[in-house]
Amino acid sequence: MTTQETVAVGSAHEASGHAGGRQKMNIVVIGHVDHGKSTLIGRLLADTGSLPQGKLESVRAQCLRNARPFEYAFLLDALKDEQAQGITIDSARCFFKSASRDYIIIDAPGHVEFLRNMISGAARAEAALLVIDAKEGVQENSRRHGCLLGLLGVRQVAVCVNKMDLVGYDKGVFDTIVAEYSDFLRQVRIEPAGFIPIAAMEGVNIVARGGQVPWYHGPSVLERVDSFQKEPPELGKPLRLPVQDVYKFTEAGDERRIIAGRIETGSVEVGDEVVFLPSLKRSTVASIEEFHGSAPPRAEAGLSTGLTLSTQVYVRPGELLCKVGQEPAKVASKLRASILWLGRAPMIQGKRYKLKLGSARVPVWLTAIHSVLDAGTLNREVGRQQVERHDVADCVLETLKPIACDAAADIPATGRFVIIDNYEIAGGGIILDAMTDENSLIDRHVAQRERAWDRSAITPNLRASRYNQRATLVLITGPTGAGKARLAKALEERLFDRGKAVYYLGLSNALGGEAGLKDSAERDEFLRRIGEVAHLMIDAGLILIAAVSDLDDEELKLIRALNSPGELLIINVGETRLSRTESDLELASALEVEAGLASLEQLLQSRNFLPEYYL
Ligand code: GTP
Ligand code: MG
């Protein structure tokens, strides 16, 4: 798609509210192509005296030299060059000041870019100015953008009916647009904060109220913007801290870890009892570590921080830290969601995408489409098989393992997500609700797989008596570097020497090391493959041995489910990450290979996988 328009967006990067004593607010200016967004912004900058000294004159002079008419929109381009440095998203920001506060506006390069920034949270707007050309009236993107504001929960919206000069400042034209568009906005659950008749080019009703519209008694654009409420930091809400990273202290012998992330809502204090979701691991906050070495007793929403805990718990990036005693986040593998799709290719069922929610990155599938809203026309369709570009779909997303989140209506920061297709943001949306995990994606898959499996006359029992063994998956876990793979291979050799049909699954090696931990979406995919491969080989009557580092409860559950009805023995070597599952065998170390082998053989024997007498 060509980017037909420029959209300006308020930035998230300075969302802290107060800085240098003055309040800051992020504003998005949106609307259909050519309806006058840039002109409005240029005017706001010029008429509030927010431009650098001499900027207006120099741009005017340049236009004169090039014999082209001056446009206020040119001011934005001129500023872009100056402001381009140090900007993290690919748009230029600009600022204007009123008597009461500072405003931040971004001029984004285009429609899809703008939507991506909005949906990924790169550009969080607290309020919006929606521009509609009086002569052209309400157009497709006027509706589309309104719809997006509704989806993202931007509730403070003022509508600027621009180019009133072109319709002779006619009240009738204005009233028609007001009626049509407020009707539309209500459908997307936005109560407009007023309509303002303006002529951005002439500066009518931008800062001062203009005499050209004697029939209008409301505020100017600047007055309206100044009346928008600042969103308070979300201190009153329960604590949500998505774990971004886990750092180990570097000094030898120091076993402490720093849990790092941004506090999205609520606050945390030293001594607070906290719980990580979805793992349910609990501990108490021992200290709050700031980058400059200070150790404050308390940290609150909006702050990126690091915590140490009083006990050692193993958690991975992607978990959500909550406070015990407060409303916990939801934990589910099935989510009812509203998605805006931006991908070139439609979103389809059965395809694996990547979900980014909070700090979690996991594989995700679209498993049901309840209805699809055409954002341009607001028609709602049911029975659709896929989600096309620009559609807003009410649908069901499913993950392999439960993830922690909130309904966006409760906590937007942990209720908003992005969907990646092919390394690109292809869509995003909000969680409407977490659904029960009954009959999960994996349960359905396994049931369907078993139904569809075409079996021969050779039963598992026949295979067992032929090989003189009962098939099972022997899954060895523990920290990286514990010697699990060596033990696994030694077991394979030992059983092979005893005439058993045995196989060591080397696929699991790809999971080891720190690299394996970084992208949890890839790790999940490997675990899924191990589960599927195990199911196949155990069905073929083999004893399959695999070693996977740092397996946690949900991961084990996933492999167990995929492997079913096959059997599984879980062996833990050294420190464990399993907190809710008992292992079948605990080994203090894998380095004593002979001792380990003896315990393993004894386990297999006692559970009747290796009959006492064999040929
Ligand atoms: P894109 O970024 O391309 O989507 O456009 P935009 O919405 O930023 O519109 P822009 O401000 O560039 O204005 C488009 C055209 O409308 C320009 O030629 C402006 O001069 C003209 N225009 C803007 N405001 C007014 C107005 O109040 N009256 C009249 N007559 N023309 C205007
Ligand atoms: Mg523009």
Side-chain angles (χ1 to χ4, degrees), residues 5-6 33-39 71 162-163 165 199-201:
E5 69 218 278
T6 302
V33 58
D34 266 357
H35 280 196
K37 302 174 289 293
S38 301
T39 308
E71 289 266 356
N162 189 29
K163 308 193 191 180
D165 53 311
M201 204 154 73

Side-chain angles (χ1 to χ4, degrees), residues 23 30 44 71 80 97 114 132 154 189 198-199 242 254 277 321-322 349 396 528 589 597-598:
Q23 196 176 61
I30 53 181
L44 276 169
E71 289 266 356
K80 249 179 217 169
K97 293 181 181 46
F114 155 72
I132 297 179
V154 180
R189 298 192 296 278
I198 65 168
D254 196 338
L277 296 176
L321 182 85
C322 303
Q349 302 191 42
V396 178
R528 193 189 64 76
S589 148
L597 282 182

Side-chain angles (χ1 to χ4, degrees), residues 445-453 532 535 561-564:
H445 162 71
V446 169
Q448 149 74 17
R449 186 184 69 190
E450 294 310 301
R451 263 200 309 278
W453 212 268
E532 291 287 3
H535 165 258
L562 285 167
N563 181 48
S564 70

